[in-house]
Amino acid sequence: MKEKGILIVISGFSGAGKGTLMKKLLQTYDNYALSISMTTRQPREGERDGVEYFFRTKEQFEENISKDGFIEYACYCGNYYGTPKKYVEEQLEAGKDVILEIEIQGALKVKEQFPESLLLFVTPPTAAELQRRLVGRGTETEEVISNRLARASEESEGIEAYDYIVINDDLDVCVKELHALVDASRRAPVRRKEFIKEIREELKGFAKGAE
Ligand code: 5GP
């Protein structure tokens, strides 16, 4: 009996430290597989095609939409971002817990299609800390930063759609907390369908014997 993996959606304001968190989570535990999204935004310095994202043109992205190649896609600050379907399906089947690091519109679409998915929202402890991290990253222009802060304000309206909030103050603590939440959610009946089916069948067998 093998349960499918959990589909985990992780969202959070741009600058919440999701990238670093994901890296550490994947280094520390071996049950996770991280989905690589496709995007039309330009690579940042040091980003590589096929590692952080699949960087594609708008035309290539739209072709993939028409082929039904995405689980979800959304427009964020003027660029397309989407989750390719095939990898996610394969990894879930193989029992891996698949992480989608996506923004809120995409998260809601995933929840609609996969009600048993787990939605986690990562945030820094304060808004001032978010601004400090965005400026400190030094990869974005002032305009992009203010755009992203405005977007964060909009996104904060949707936090209640998530199952849990995780505050990223100390990286190691946050990684442990994320893992603990995933582990606990594995025990929810909606994610133990195979186990429930099997024990019911066995019990029926015993019940027959007692007739
Ligand atoms: P960034 O440009 O900072 O890498 O990402 C911008 C936003 O897009 C982040 O909130 C990130 O989580 C989100 N994002 C990345 N990949 C996807 C995706 O495949 N689908 C959706 N809906 N959002 C994504």
Side-chain angles (χ1 to χ4, degrees):
M1 164 183 53
K2 187 158 174 64
E3 300 285 351
K4 275 171 75 167
I6 301 179
L7 185 56
I8 306 159
V9 175
I10 299 194
S11 304
F13 310 126
S14 175
K18 285 165 295 171
T20 320
L21 264 177
M22 295 307 96
K23 228 172 154 183
K24 182 91 190 185
L25 192 70
L26 268 94
Q27 277 169 4
T28 314
Y29 306 99
D30 61 7
N31 54 304
Y32 298 106
L34 183 66
S35 158
I36 301 172
S37 295
M38 193 181 284
T39 184
T40 60
R41 92 149 155 71
Q42 290 299 311
R44 291 187 192 122
E45 182 131 355
E47 283 184 334
R48 292 145 299 167
D49 183 44
V51 180
E52 282 81 10
Y53 283 105
F54 296 108
F55 295 100
R56 295 291 181 267
T57 62
K58 190 163 173 267
E59 290 68 35
Q60 288 169 324
F61 197 101
E62 285 171 349
E63 194 190 325
N64 208 42
I65 298 175
S66 67
K67 284 187 183 155
D68 195 25
F70 293 114
I71 287 187
E72 61 73 40
Y73 67 92
C75 207
Y76 177 94
C77 296
N79 287 301
Y80 277 131
Y81 293 82
T83 307
K85 217 179 234 181
K86 193 162 168 275
Y87 177 81
V88 174
E89 288 177 350
E90 283 171 2
Q91 295 295 313
L92 285 176
E93 257 337 294
K96 286 276 185 186
D97 300 318
V98 180
I99 301 178
L100 312 183
E101 197 247 278
I102 64 179
E103 52 64 73
I104 188 162
Q105 301 167 61
L108 298 177
K109 285 183 213 156
V110 170
K111 189 77 187 177
E112 240 175 66
Q113 280 179 68
F114 302 87
E116 71 283 10
S117 56
L118 179 68
L119 267 56
L120 307 175
F121 196 91
V122 179
T123 166
T126 63
E129 174 63 15
L130 180 67
Q131 189 196 34
R132 201 188 62 76
R133 287 187 197 172
L134 274 175
V135 173
R137 187 149 81 179
T139 51
E140 252 83 42
T141 61
E142 234 172 78
E143 192 196 339
V144 170
I145 292 174
S146 71
N147 232 323
R148 289 187 170 219
L149 283 172
R151 178 69 188 220
S153 169
E154 276 171 39
E155 286 188 336
S156 70
E157 296 298 324
I159 295 179
E160 284 92 341
Y162 288 77
D163 296 308
Y164 298 99
I165 298 181
V166 186
I167 295 179
N168 183 15
D169 197 356
D170 178 291
L171 178 71
D172 291 328
V173 173
C174 192
V175 165
K176 279 193 189 127
E177 244 182 75
L178 278 174
H179 185 68
L181 285 170
V182 173
D183 227 27
S185 72
R186 210 184 298 289
R187 287 145 179 85
V190 69
R191 302 190 185 93
R192 297 306 308 268
K193 287 182 180 148
E194 287 300 318
F195 172 81
I196 295 169
K197 197 170 128 207
E198 195 157 296
I199 202 161
R200 274 193 185 135
E201 270 163 24
E202 284 171 9
L203 285 167
K204 262 187 208 146
F206 286 149
K208 266 196 198 126
E211 271 165 14

